[in-house]
Amino acid sequence: MMKQTFGSSHVPLSPAVRAGDFIFISGQVPVGSNGEYVGGTIEAQTRQVLENVKAALALAGAEMSDVVKTTVWLEDARDFSGFNKVYATYFPTNPPARTTAEGRLMVDIKVEIEAIAYKPMNPAS
């Protein structure tokens, strides 16, 4: 099976890795295009994280509709409702399987999301 990596990071990880027909997106955090953390509400942070997931998928030629599984960590379970409202707008139909857990995150943020997408490789590539 061929493995391809996409993107770069200031820490030792690849934002996206394709292994065959699957694309694995590393845990995304609420960092804007300027490299700074997006503060504020769970809704604002969730929106930024999901935009980052979308951007990482695009590096590997996939989109949100290709996502089959997400894993979500919330810093505070009481943020679940606000998180869920934003999350639902990114997966309006046929949402992926999902695991959501509360946990202490590596930096002072409210949410982190990783994703797995299924996008068959083009036989010509």
Side-chain angles (χ1 to χ4, degrees), residues 8-44:
S8 62
S9 176
H10 67 283
V11 294
L13 61 82
S14 295
V17 175
R18 178 185 271 280
D21 292 340
F22 287 94
I23 299 165
F24 299 86
I25 303 302
S26 291
Q28 298 295 303
V29 297
V31 173
S33 58
N34 62 1
E36 294 185 19
Y37 285 100
V38 172
T41 65
I42 186 64
E43 292 85 359

Side-chain angles (χ1 to χ4, degrees), residues 2-74:
M2 185 173 88
K3 175 181 127 179
Q4 295 174 282
T5 60
F6 300 90
S8 62
S9 176
H10 67 283
V11 294
L13 61 82
S14 295
V17 175
R18 178 185 271 280
D21 292 340
F22 287 94
I23 299 165
F24 299 86
I25 303 302
S26 291
Q28 298 295 303
V29 297
V31 173
S33 58
N34 62 1
E36 294 185 19
Y37 285 100
V38 172
T41 65
I42 186 64
E43 292 85 359
Q45 288 196 17
T46 300
R47 195 169 296 106
Q48 182 63 59
V49 169
L50 289 167
E51 287 298 321
N52 294 347
V53 168
K54 186 190 290 188
L57 287 164
L59 292 172
E63 51 195 39
M64 296 298 270
S65 62
D66 298 316
V67 174
V68 295
K69 171 75 167 82
T70 61
T71 303
V72 178
W73 293 272
L74 296 175

Side-chain angles (χ1 to χ4, degrees), residues 42-43 74 77-86:
I42 186 64
E43 292 85 359
L74 296 175
R78 292 173 293 189
D79 285 335
F80 183 73
S81 178
F83 153 79
N84 218 31
K85 286 177 188 172
V86 174

